[in-house]
Amino acid sequence: MTQYRIPFNKPTYLGNELDYISDSLSNWHVSGDGAFSKNCHRFLEERLGVKRALLTTSCTHALEMAALLLGIESGDEVIVPAFTFVSSINAFVLRGAKPVFADIRPDTLNLDERQLESLISERTKAIVLVHYAGVACEMDKIMAIADRHGVAVVEDNAHALFARYKGRYLGTLGKLATQSFHETKNFTCGEGGALLINDAELIERAEIIREKGTNRSRFFRGQIDKYTWVDFGSSYLPSDMLAAYLWAQFEAAELIQERRREIWAYYDARLQEWSAAHGVQLPTVPAHVEQAYHMYYILLPSLKVRTALIRHLRARGILSVFHYLPLHLSDMGRQFGGEDGDCPVTEDVADRLLRLPFFHAFTREEQDDVLAGLFSFEDWE
Ligand SMILES: *Cc1c(COP(=O)(O)O)cnc(C)c1O
């Protein structure tokens, strides 16, 4: 394996995480929904203004809960951007849904709302959208279309915790939203996630599904005197040790986001001239959006140039990585009818996008090193 001087990611780690894990052990509560989980739930609910937040074992599992809560069944159609992580749609495919792949906008790389209505059919049950790189989709238009057709919107908000659209937090706009605390995300506990519930009618059922189909949450709140099997369900709650790790990072939310803002802004300022000179496209952040500073990507002129640049940076000990392969052209996507040319913007962007190193502990020296790597690249033909 190549040793990189500068990795693409290092998980966020501040120092208090281990103290809090140790506290969870001294509390004698290391299973789910202990004191640290409750802190995390309250923090997300109060900070974002969502009706209920529930930690889960991953964003993938929160998406699976969303599919169960929306009653997705065989034959239902779910619209999803072709440019996203597989879990955004796999959670629904697991319940028998047929994915309908939407193309993305060439500027924000988010689901193209101008094409959305033409993808809706009698069978459409949900639209899953992704706020790519922590920059909001065009939510007013998307929600208006979804409401007109009675289709639920699920925000896969893995990139966009604390980002806003016209002043409103992402994750509060769809019926449901999901977060990821995987080690590559702004806030992490290794593996983890959350389901955000904006429709009060789904709260009790969500608690039941997350607790093995039992009404144990009501029991712990003293609302009933014994708990029992009341519905289908599974086990989606993380250990309080993981919640303890996450809580240390939520307590430092401003610090973490400010650090990422600085890294993002420095890349963006230093790359203006260089990108203009070489026909490289930098990220677009519309004025009505406050982004989450999840990643910094560049769009190169061609696949050939991208391949050469990855190699050039690697020779300097720097790891840069491309992103999603178009979902409709994957083995599974093709089984659902995906064909070359269905989503031309996705296909083009997937070939040209490159993500630069970006993590909490990234130093200015390291970032200058990455920039020097970009500036010394000459193979533009
Ligand atoms: C990371 C990510 C996921 C999956 O998150 P896990 O917590 O690893 O399950 C889903 N969707 C998007 C857009 C992601 O970036």
Side-chain angles (χ1 to χ4, degrees), residues 2 67 109 185 216 230 262 310:
T2 322
L109 316 187
K185 304 307 195 295
R216 190 160 153 173
V230 292
E262 284 166 13
I310 291 174

Side-chain angles (χ1 to χ4, degrees), residues 29 66 148 155 179 184 190 193 209 236 238 247-249 256 272 282 286-287 320 323:
H29 190 129
R148 190 152 66 236
E155 299 175 74
Q179 302 298 148
T184 50
I209 288 174
Y236 291 120
W247 177 242
Q249 304 200 355
I256 289 174
Q272 291 297 327
L282 301 182
S320 62
H323 215 181

Side-chain angles (χ1 to χ4, degrees), residues 8-40:
F8 170 69
N9 180 60
K10 280 184 192 168
T12 307
Y13 178 69
L14 302 167
N16 279 344
E17 289 89 343
L18 284 182
D19 290 341
Y20 288 173
I21 288 177
S22 150
D23 290 349
S24 78
L25 290 160
S26 9
N27 292 343
W28 301 106
H29 190 129
V30 291
S31 61
D33 285 348
F36 287 105
S37 303
K38 287 181 182 140
N39 285 350
C40 292

Side-chain angles (χ1 to χ4, degrees), residues 106-121:
D107 52 3
T108 58
L109 316 187
N110 282 328
L111 185 145
D112 192 339
E113 72 285 352
R114 295 163 297 193
Q115 299 178 20
L116 182 57
E117 197 145 29
S118 69
L119 299 174
I120 293 180
S121 81

Side-chain angles (χ1 to χ4, degrees), residues 58-60 84-85 87-88 130 156 158-159 180 182 185 191-192 324:
S58 65
C59 183
T60 302
T84 181
F85 187 64
S87 293
S88 308
V130 180
D156 178 344
H159 298 182
S180 174
H182 182 260
K185 304 307 195 295
E191 298 277 359
Y324 311 125

